[in-house]
Amino acid sequence: MSRIVAAMSGGVDSSVAAALLAREATDDEVIGVWMRTHGDLPEGYELSRSCCSPDAADDARRVAQILDIPFFILNVEREFGDRVIDAFVDSYLEGATPNPCQACNQYIKFDELLRRGLAAYGADAVATGHYARLEHRDGRWRLMRAADADKDQTYFLWVLSQGQLARTRFPLGDLTKPEVRAMAAELTLPTAQKPESQEICFVPLGDYRALLEERRGYAGDPGPIVDARGERVGTHTGYAHYTVGQRHGLGVALGEAVYVREVLPATNTVVIGRRDEVAQRSFTVDGARFTAGEPPTERFEASVRIRHRAPDVPAEVTMVGRDRFVVETAEPVWAPAPGQAAVLYDADECLGGGRITRT
Amino acid sequence: MAIYLDHAATSPLRPEVLEAMMPYLTTHHGNASSIHASGRRARQGLDEARETIAGLIGAKPREIVFTSGGTEADNLALKGVAWAASARGRHIITSSVEHKAVMNTCAMLERRGFEVTYLPVDRYGRVDPSELAAAITERTILVSVMAANNEVGTLQPIAEIGAVCRAHNVPFHTDAVQAAAFGPPTPDAWQATLIALSAHKLGGPIGIGALYVRQGTALLPQMQGGAQERQRRAGTENVAAAVGFATAMRASYRETPNTALRDRLIGALTGLTGVQLTGHPTERLPNSASFVIEGIEGGDLVAALDLEGIEASTGSACTTGSVEPSHVLLAMGIDEQLAHGSLRLTLGPETTAADVERTISVVEGCVARLRASAPQVAASA
């Protein structure tokens, strides 16, 4: 008999993933786990609806009851605070664009749940509601795009190692979102009609500026907005309030659309440019990881994706050191933002990726 | 069948309790405040239950106020006295190891302008009566110190604390929710003004408790409505539960707790590396074995034990996964990191020697597995 931990967020996807496992598992034992990522609000307050609120825990628990599986709450507040929230804030302070969903997947859902969850529950594997597929071919695990191209989440999963992939299940990989919703309705799961969570779960109303002040005391210090030639064209409220590619909230009227091209913490400067000035054909990536454990070769062709739901672009990848590579794309890509992941694919297989650095 | 070692959270309903309650849940319907025969029959059940409980603890029936449970009894005691006495003074003294029903009520009173002194405890969780004496001022209107701690089982020197309060003429409330499962609370010997009780810790139903209120105590009701419970607690009386409470209390005081199994558990587990007993070694509840264990999260261990068929607790029945270490353990001077590794095993009348032996070996195995997964090991995987 083996045990599988089903990570349950309280959303429809992870509910159906757990249901599929619980239904197919005859010898296997499925255990539902909801991860508590942040603390309680003061007593007497109505709680907001997001994937990590206690409301979500209630939903996850109800689903586990209906599936007749044990259900536990795993507290990961400390790890989430350090690895996701603080990293999110620090990313802005470095002039970069944070990638909290990937950090949460990497450090919380996989590192922490695999390590602690497997030890606590004596389980062999972890299952999540991600849209991705796994194949074992030619002696290794391969992370493959989901059947539902529109929902594919491999962009957030490129960090997984062979050891992690071997102990991971993605029950939804072959399904489309409408199929998942239909299954949830058929099983009368209370989460069947739940809307997609889009906002960042720990940033109420999307106002991350308050978080910068709360966690790191950054209140914002006005400074210059300059154009590509270095000429001052406006004033910003603090460099960390801006990210590369941003168009709105610049307060600059130059007669055509302008975008943030660079954020420079050292001089508290925000550089803007026209659309064509923000696109690039080459950028550097560090913190590289490959699902196979190492890159295919020192120099290889791949398609690259630089943000969730952005189109893939054919590129040539050149390793420069153990965990850095340079990407040269066949055509200019829109605003590669420091801090965001650049993820590499060979057709439907996710090869790995890294973090875009300032070039 | 799982081995249930969480009697401090709640205890199984005694068969004779269910039997005593059944008529009031089926044929003996009726509101105890009604004039007619059905009402009178319900009233009789309620009156007899009140008499039984009063008799067992050496109180007058009119001094027993039924509530929905221990938490409501604590709330009624603290807020009831605080509001009634607020013109005379606004200072309350409690300990730093109280149940949340007392802790959070005190915190609420602090927000409403009361001053609360939280007495420190020694490493076993005990209050020093001389420190209490030193903390009392002429503005002190209430002292609230629990009889036995729910997390670590430590018994307070309750009669000495009561004597200090009497000497200073300050009303004394004690939360005896845990202690009352192992012998009657004694208002006179403890010199207590108020005592909070609960039925489900001693084999009664969940949803009923009581507050002993010494005759002549000024208490402002915290629930507005009808004149039930001598105007101290409005709401239709829960007759079936009151009958169950009285039956459970009587049954539980006929038993002599078996401390041998608890001592075997304590001896074996404290023999493991990095495991230490929490609470007092001898002055503790007869069914309580509580520990802190190095290198683990208590919540993870409790989940692991559950999957092996052993039902335990980290110390309090908290399912929200809070990461805050226990305020009780911190007040006893236990290191914050270590306090995360708490385990509480509370035995019941049905616990067998075989249950205890199995528990010892399963705890040992699970602790080893959890320690083996410490981050530095996993990083290389």
Side-chain angles (χ1 to χ4, degrees), chain B residues 165-252:
Chain B
C165 294
R166 170 56 67 86
H168 290 81
N169 203 22
V170 176
F172 171 42
H173 166 62
T174 185
D175 175 338
V177 165
Q178 294 290 341
F182 303 98
T186 48
D188 288 344
W190 293 358
Q191 306 197 49
T193 320
L194 303 126
I195 303 177
L197 303 168
S198 170
H200 74 101
K201 309 292 189 187
L202 39 79
I206 292 175
I208 189 156
L211 182 65
Y212 160 82
V213 184
R214 186 176 289 276
Q215 200 173 338
T217 306
L219 188 81
L220 214 67
Q222 298 303 304
M223 193 94 85
Q224 273 60 53
Q228 293 91 348
E229 301 296 306
R230 293 178 172 266
Q231 307 198 43
R232 291 169 299 188
R233 202 280 187 179
T236 301
E237 300 92 339
N238 190 350
V239 177
V243 169
F245 187 3
T247 310
M249 209 179 213
R250 196 167 42 214
S252 113

Side-chain angles (χ1 to χ4, degrees), chain A residues 3 29 31 34 36 40 43 61 70-78 111-112 115-123 161 163-164 167, chain B residues 104 108 111 297 299-308 319-324 337 340 366 369-370 373-376 378-379 381:
Chain A
R3 275 189 191 143
E29 192 180 352
I31 293 157
W34 181 80
R36 180 178 162 119
D40 282 329
E43 59 181 295
R61 186 176 57 241
F71 176 76
F72 300 110
I73 292 178
L74 187 70
N75 192 301
V76 293
E77 277 178 64
R78 254 176 307 177
D111 284 0
E112 195 61 14
R115 179 182 72 75
R116 238 175 89 198
L118 300 197
Y121 314 125
S161 66
Q164 290 175 319
R167 292 185 291 166
Chain B
N104 287 341
M108 177 269 192
R111 293 194 295 271
E297 275 292 329
D300 292 356
L301 177 58
V302 168
L305 293 175
D306 176 45
L307 292 169
E308 301 293 333
T319 57
T320 60
S322 165
V323 78
E324 294 296 310
Q337 190 63 37
H340 278 284
C366 289
R369 191 176 81 207
L370 286 163
S373 80
Q376 58 274 23

Side-chain angles (χ1 to χ4, degrees), chain B:
Chain B
M1 252 312 252
I3 298 172
Y4 185 75
L5 295 180
D6 201 12
H7 289 76
T10 193
S11 56
L13 195 76
R14 294 167 184 272
E16 67 266 42
V17 170
L18 180 62
E19 201 181 319
M21 290 172 72
M22 279 309 278
Y24 296 94
L25 294 166
T26 52
T27 54
H28 292 17
H29 62 84
N31 184 321
S33 301
S34 296
I35 293 168
H36 47 63
S38 289
R40 289 197 300 275
R41 189 174 52 198
R43 184 83 209 178
Q44 185 175 349
L46 183 71
D47 287 346
E48 287 173 1
R50 198 187 309 277
E51 270 175 28
T52 300
I53 292 169
L56 286 166
I57 71 169
K60 302 185 187 82
R62 62 185 299 163
E63 293 176 318
I64 304 297
V65 178
F66 285 117
T67 66
S68 63
T71 291
E72 190 192 330
D74 281 328
N75 270 264
L76 177 57
L78 270 76
K79 293 182 201 162
V81 167
W83 298 133
S86 62
R88 193 161 53 78
R90 294 190 143 238
H91 179 228
I92 294 168
I93 301 172
T94 188
S95 84
S96 45
V97 294
E98 296 297 307
H99 188 272
K100 283 189 171 174
V102 169
M103 278 292 181
N104 287 341
T105 305
C106 284
M108 177 269 192
L109 288 168
E110 282 183 292
R111 293 194 295 271
R112 302 295 168 91
F114 287 83
E115 185 199 337
V116 180
T117 301
Y118 298 90
L119 296 173
V121 294
D122 64 16
R123 65 194 175 112
Y124 301 125
R126 303 220 296 173
V127 166
D128 180 345
S130 66
E131 292 196 61
L132 167 62
I136 293 175
T137 72
E138 56 191 26
R139 289 175 53 78
T140 307
I141 52 166
L142 184 66
V143 170
S144 179
V145 177
M146 68 201 323
N149 185 269
N150 51 306
E151 295 186 31
V152 298
T154 296
L155 307 176
Q156 295 291 349
I158 208 72
E160 291 170 67
I161 291 168
V164 169
C165 294
R166 170 56 67 86
H168 290 81
N169 203 22
V170 176
F172 171 42
H173 166 62
T174 185
D175 175 338
V177 165
Q178 294 290 341
F182 303 98
T186 48
D188 288 344
W190 293 358
Q191 306 197 49
T193 320
L194 303 126
I195 303 177
L197 303 168
S198 170
H200 74 101
K201 309 292 189 187
L202 39 79
I206 292 175
I208 189 156
L211 182 65
Y212 160 82
V213 184
R214 186 176 289 276
Q215 200 173 338
T217 306
L219 188 81
L220 214 67
Q222 298 303 304
M223 193 94 85
Q224 273 60 53
Q228 293 91 348
E229 301 296 306
R230 293 178 172 266
Q231 307 198 43
R232 291 169 299 188
R233 202 280 187 179
T236 301
E237 300 92 339
N238 190 350
V239 177
V243 169
F245 187 3
T247 310
M249 209 179 213
R250 196 167 42 214
S252 113
Y253 296 161
R254 290 200 192 106
E255 290 163 355
T256 318
N258 177 357
T259 53
L261 292 179
R262 179 204 66 182
D263 292 341
R264 163 71 186 142
L265 203 48
I266 291 176
L269 293 185
T270 52
L272 303 176
T273 312
V275 179
Q276 69 184 67
L277 182 72
T278 53
H280 200 280
T282 55
E283 292 296 303
R284 61 186 303 132
L285 292 171
N287 75 330
S288 170
S290 58
F291 309 91
V292 282
I293 303 174
E294 282 172 24
I296 61 144
E297 275 292 329
D300 292 356
L301 177 58
V302 168
L305 293 175
D306 176 45
L307 292 169
E308 301 293 333
I310 292 169
E311 299 183 325
S313 166
T314 60
S316 50
C318 179
T319 57
T320 60
S322 165
V323 78
E324 294 296 310
S326 151
H327 68 283
V328 173
L329 299 180
L330 297 183
M332 288 160 55
I334 290 170
D335 167 72
E336 183 170 338
Q337 190 63 37
L338 191 54
H340 278 284
S342 59
L343 174 68
R344 181 187 70 185
L345 303 167
T346 44
L347 290 62
E350 79 287 358
T351 309
T352 66
D355 292 344
V356 167
E357 293 312 313
R358 169 151 171 79
T359 301
I360 292 165
S361 77
V362 172
V363 168
E364 186 173 4
C366 289
V367 167
R369 191 176 81 207
L370 286 163
R371 282 181 179 159
S373 80
Q376 58 274 23
V377 179
S380 63

Side-chain angles (χ1 to χ4, degrees), chain A residues 23 42 92 116 128 153 162 168 184 186 210 239 247 276 284:
Chain A
R23 203 166 58 176
Y92 283 110
R116 238 175 89 198
T128 70
Q153 288 172 313
Q162 281 292 302
T168 297
E186 189 189 327
Y239 74 89
R247 176 178 175 183
D276 61 319
T284 306

Side-chain angles (χ1 to χ4, degrees), chain A residues 294-338:
Chain A
E294 51 190 45
T297 53
E298 286 306 292
R299 196 179 170 91
F300 57 96
E301 309 263 303
S303 50
V304 64
R305 179 176 286 202
I306 60 162
R307 53 177 64 83
H308 186 43
R309 291 173 188 274
D312 296 341
V313 179
E316 186 153 275
V317 178
T318 308
M319 297 303 298
V320 285
R322 250 185 80 77
D323 65 350
R324 276 172 84 84
F325 58 80
V326 174
V327 177
E328 284 159 290
T329 54
E331 54 201 81
V333 289
W334 167 249

